[in-house]
Amino acid sequence: RKEVEQDPGPFNVPEGATVAFNCTYSNSASQSFFWYRQDCRKEPKLLMSVYSSGNEDGRFTAQLNRASQYISLLIRDSKLSDSATYLCVVPSRNSGGSNYKLTFGKGTLLTVNP
Amino acid sequence: EADIYQTPRYLVIGTGKKITLECSQTMGHDKMYWYQQDPGMELHLIHYSYGVNSTEKGDLSSESTVSRIRTEHFPLTLESARPSHTSQYLCASAIQGLTEAFFGQGTRLTVV
C-alpha cells in the first residue's frame, strides 16, 4: 500500500452539491493529518488539520477513521470558488526514524460548475 | 499569511548554467522542505531539513543540493541546469512535531 492514496478524480459537480473525497494511509501509527487546497499554478494552502476523530469548519468537514486508516473531506453546498485540487497530507517518519516529513497524496481535482 | 519567501518567482536559464533558488522564512521554523511539482502533477519531496546543518534527501532523486547554515535560509542549487529540470519548485517550512507546513509561492524554472 502506498503511504498516502487519494481518490483519483476528477470530480465535476454542480453548484450546491455535496462532494466527498477519501484518502487512505498506510502507517497505522500516524496521529495527525491535513487537507490542503491547491489552486492552478499556485502553492498549496492548509485547509484543515485533523488530530482526533474529525474537524468541522463551516461547509467543510474532515473525518478520520483510524480502524480503516482513511480520512475523508466533505464539502457541503459547493461554490464555484471551491474548484481546486485537494491534497491529503500525512506526516511520516524519515528513514532514520528520528523525525517526521510530510507526505502528500497525488491530489483530487474538483470542478464546481454553474 | 505565512512569512516564507522564494526568489526568483520565474527563471529562464540556459543549459549548463549553475543556479540557486532562494527560500527564506521569518517564523523561526526548524523544519524546511523543497518540493518539485510539474503542471497538473503531484508534489515530490526532494530535500528537507530539521534544523541548522541537518539536511536529508527526499523521496524523489534529484541532482540538486541544499544547505542549511542559518535557520531562516534553505537555498537549493543546481550545478548544471538541464531541460529535464524544468518544473516548479516549492519551498515550505514548519515547526517541530506533527504540524502543518507553510508554502512559499514557488519558483517556476525553465531550462532552455
Side-chain angles (χ1 to χ4, degrees):
Chain A
R1 187 190 233 182
K2 279 191 155 184
E3 285 190 79
V4 182
E5 285 198 85
Q6 292 188 238
D7 283 337
F11 285 68
N12 286 281
V13 302
E15 269 189 289
T18 295
V19 60
F21 314 132
N22 282 329
C23 170
T24 59
Y25 59 94
S26 60
N27 184 356
S28 59
S30 296
Q31 297 177 44
S32 61
F33 310 87
F34 308 101
W35 282 102
Y36 278 72
R37 171 198 169 120
Q38 185 174 26
D39 292 301
C40 187
R41 301 176 75 83
K42 299 282 192 180
E43 75 275 19
K45 293 190 176 180
L46 180 69
L47 180 65
M48 297 186 79
S49 304
V50 187
Y51 294 105
S52 57
S53 60
N55 194 4
E56 185 171 330
D57 182 6
R59 297 181 296 108
F60 297 85
T61 301
Q63 290 189 316
L64 169 61
N65 184 317
R66 290 189 189 276
S68 301
Q69 293 180 217
Y70 78 81
I71 319 122
S72 62
L73 177 68
L74 182 78
I75 306 175
R76 290 181 297 276
D77 189 23
S78 301
K79 311 290 185 193
L80 296 177
S81 57
D82 294 334
S83 296
T85 296
Y86 291 84
L87 302 164
C88 175
V89 185
V90 181
S92 59
R93 289 276 187 186
N94 64 342
S95 55
S98 59
N99 216 315
Y100 291 92
K101 57 185 173 76
L102 293 179
T103 299
F104 282 75
K106 290 187 175 183
T108 301
L109 177 62
L110 170 67
T111 302
V112 181
N113 302 302
Chain B
E1 288 294 318
D3 295 322
I4 179 166
Y5 308 100
Q6 290 186 242
T7 56
R9 291 287 311 280
Y10 302 93
L11 178 63
V12 180
I13 201 162
T15 297
K17 300 290 186 184
K18 177 179 178 179
I19 55 173
T20 295
L21 308 184
E22 303 287 348
C23 177
S24 295
Q25 49 95 6
T26 59
M27 298 171 284
H29 287 173
D30 286 319
K31 294 195 291 190
M32 295 189 76
Y33 306 87
W34 275 105
Y35 290 87
Q36 184 176 344
Q37 186 180 35
D38 293 325
M41 304 297 285
E42 64 192 289
L43 283 140
H44 291 287
L45 179 66
I46 52 175
H47 295 283
Y48 55 108
S49 167
Y50 296 123
V52 171
N53 294 325
S54 145
T55 61
E56 293 191 40
K57 288 189 180 292
D59 304 319
L60 181 69
S61 174
S62 173
E63 293 163 348
S64 57
T65 58
V66 291
S67 62
R68 190 86 183 277
I69 299 171
R70 303 199 320 262
T71 297
E72 61 270 22
H73 197 211
F74 191 40
L76 180 142
T77 297
L78 279 164
E79 291 293 332
S80 180
R82 295 208 303 268
S84 60
H85 296 138
T86 294
S87 188
Q88 175 163 254
Y89 293 83
L90 289 156
C91 179
S93 72
I95 61 174
Q96 290 291 2
L98 301 172
T99 59
E100 70 272 21
F102 298 92
F103 282 83
Q105 292 182 295
T107 294
R108 199 167 295 278
L109 172 67
T110 302
V111 184
V112 298

